[in-house]
Amino acid sequence: MKNERFEKTYSQGAVNVTEIWVDKETGVNYLFHACGSSGGLSPLLDREGMPVITPVLNK
């Protein structure tokens, strides 16, 4: 398997899908939501409006 940049860390639902993806290079978390044939992706923000960052381990 190739080294992929994004990693899915959370998933719920089947028709109404909510997932959290982490960019393994920057640590930024993204919220993905899909309902049927439409969906959207946005940075996941904390209560102060700053992006949620997961610490990235150096390779």
Side-chain angles (χ1 to χ4, degrees):
M1 182 183 226
K2 62 183 177 179
N3 187 12
E4 296 185 7
R5 179 168 178 166
F6 293 92
E7 178 180 7
K8 182 169 44 173
T9 61
Y10 177 81
S11 181
Q12 76 177 32
V15 176
N16 291 319
V17 176
T18 301
E19 298 173 342
I20 296 176
W21 290 81
V22 176
D23 181 332
K24 294 191 288 186
E25 290 187 20
T26 65
V28 175
N29 287 240
Y30 294 89
L31 179 67
F32 172 74
H33 183 77
C35 182
S37 61
S38 63
L41 181 72
S42 175
L44 185 62
L45 305 178
D46 64 17
R47 65 177 60 200
E48 284 81 35
M50 300 299 294
V52 174
I53 307 290
T54 298
V56 177
L57 298 176
N58 293 331
K59 296 179 180 181

